[in-house]
Amino acid sequence: MANEDKIEAEGVVVEALPNAMFKVELENGHEVLAYLAGRMKKYYIRVLLGDRVRVELSPYDLTRGRIVYRHKVVRTS
């Protein structure tokens, strides 16, 4: 599948599941089951509840996706 076929969406992690799987609520209100992309596993990027993430969806199954980016969190003290 080519890069043009991917649908990118942003959302918030609402539930952590076993095997690096997460439930992500997208900005449009839909929930998808997403797994961590290989590059995120390779570099030990941690994804926690409440993190904003970018998800790639396949046009064939819009209920599953792959987390490809975790947005940086701005901490205020």
Side-chain angles (χ1 to χ4, degrees):
M1 184 177 308
N3 268 345
E4 301 87 38
D5 295 342
K6 304 277 193 254
I7 300 169
E8 285 200 357
E10 292 191 10
V12 177
V13 176
V14 293
E15 187 178 351
L17 302 168
N19 296 331
M21 302 278 282
F22 299 90
K23 281 207 177 186
V24 178
E25 185 175 346
L26 302 179
E27 291 176 335
N28 60 9
H30 288 83
E31 272 195 3
V32 297
L33 184 64
Y35 64 92
L36 279 181
R39 186 175 290 168
M40 294 189 67
K41 283 186 190 178
K42 179 180 176 184
Y43 294 110
Y44 300 106
I45 296 174
R46 300 288 181 220
V47 176
L48 302 172
L49 294 178
D51 283 348
R52 284 194 65 68
V53 293
R54 185 178 311 145
V55 179
E56 282 185 350
L57 302 167
S58 167
Y60 301 108
D61 187 3
L62 297 176
T63 62
R64 293 179 171 265
R66 176 173 57 195
I67 298 174
V68 294
Y69 185 76
R70 181 180 146 262
H71 291 280
K72 294 174 179 51
V73 178
V74 178
R75 304 271 185 215
T76 57
S77 299

